[in-house]
Amino acid sequence: MQALHKITDAPAAPTVEAVDGPDYREAMSRIAGAVHVIATDGAGGRGGATMTAVTSVTDAPPTLLICLNRSGRLNALLRENGVFSVNTLVSGAEDLAGVFAGVGGIDHADRFATGTWATAVTGAPLLASARAAFDCRITEATDVGSHTVFLGRVEAVRLGPKEPALLYLDRAYRSVPTLD
Ligand SMILES: Cc1cc2nc3c(=O)[nH]c(=O)nc-3n(C[C@H](O)[C@H](O)[C@H](O)COP(=O)(O)O)c2cc1C
């Protein structure tokens, strides 16, 4: 496998050295990410997790991807259920983000006692207060190291209140105000 390098001096004579996990995670912590809750339901049961690794792939056909750790129970639930929703959080939803990040060690099914949840067309739970919510059917799952990249075909979207957004930056939650 090709080694990763980091640039320690720039720009005239950059030097590079091998990069380890902490270097990579520190660099990633400098990038602001929208905070989402991924949720699923179906034959395998309900589950959900707070995630920033969510990216649009294409709008033709509408497709997004999520990167989910392989070690947690949620990975197996997604594979069994074949569906998930992406619920993008508003500022003020920090407590809900904490619950779905595992704070308090609450079981996956019991995490849904926090927030108001409806059921999407696919059967996935949809968060009523989400800025935007995407109802997805899994089309591909590819393991990459510690994580699985799930591709989700978006079958429905729900537009929520345009309230200030919740971001995660420098390992802390931040609020981004709206312009109007
Ligand atoms: C802000 C934030 C972003 C996160 N992003 C991801 C992510 O993109 N992928 C992931 O697998 N876990 C992510 N996590 C961790 C999961 O939320 C956490 O591991 C999971 O909810 C714990 O579930 P478990 O009790 O089944 O282990 C994130 C946590 C936080 C606080």
Side-chain angles (χ1 to χ4, degrees):
M1 199 167 73
Q2 196 179 354
L4 271 174
H5 296 87
K6 67 177 175 182
I7 299 170
T8 52
D9 291 312
T15 60
V16 294
E17 58 191 74
V19 164
D20 57 12
D23 289 326
Y24 176 76
R25 286 194 293 276
E26 175 59 27
M28 291 306 295
S29 77
R30 312 284 178 96
I31 300 172
V35 183
H36 317 269
V37 169
I38 303 320
T40 187
D41 201 356
R46 266 189 162 192
T50 299
M51 290 182 55
T52 50
V54 176
T55 303
S56 172
V57 176
T58 173
D59 65 353
T63 304
L64 53 74
L65 68 76
I66 65 170
C67 304
L68 178 64
N69 202 298
R70 290 168 65 188
S71 64
R73 169 89 185 110
L74 187 60
N75 197 299
L77 287 184
L78 250 65
R79 291 171 190 272
E80 280 179 75
N81 295 339
V83 300
F84 65 86
S85 63
V86 174
N87 303 276
T88 306
L89 301 186
V90 295
S91 177
E94 289 88 339
D95 286 350
L96 183 135
V99 166
F100 280 88
V103 174
I106 300 169
D107 273 357
H108 273 279
D110 295 335
R111 294 177 183 183
F112 293 88
T114 302
T116 302
W117 295 87
T119 303
V121 178
T122 64
L126 275 194
L127 180 65
S129 63
R131 238 180 166 256
F134 305 83
D135 183 22
C136 304
R137 200 169 293 280
I138 295 169
T139 55
E140 270 182 61
T142 305
D143 291 340
V144 181
S146 58
H147 281 58
T148 305
V149 180
F150 288 98
L151 285 183
R153 171 76 197 268
V154 180
E155 298 206 345
V157 293
R158 184 177 173 283
L159 299 177
K162 261 194 168 178
E163 289 175 12
L166 188 64
L167 295 193
Y168 200 66
L169 176 67
D170 292 336
R171 300 189 172 91
Y173 293 109
R174 317 276 173 170
S175 176
V176 179
T178 48
L179 292 176
D180 43 320

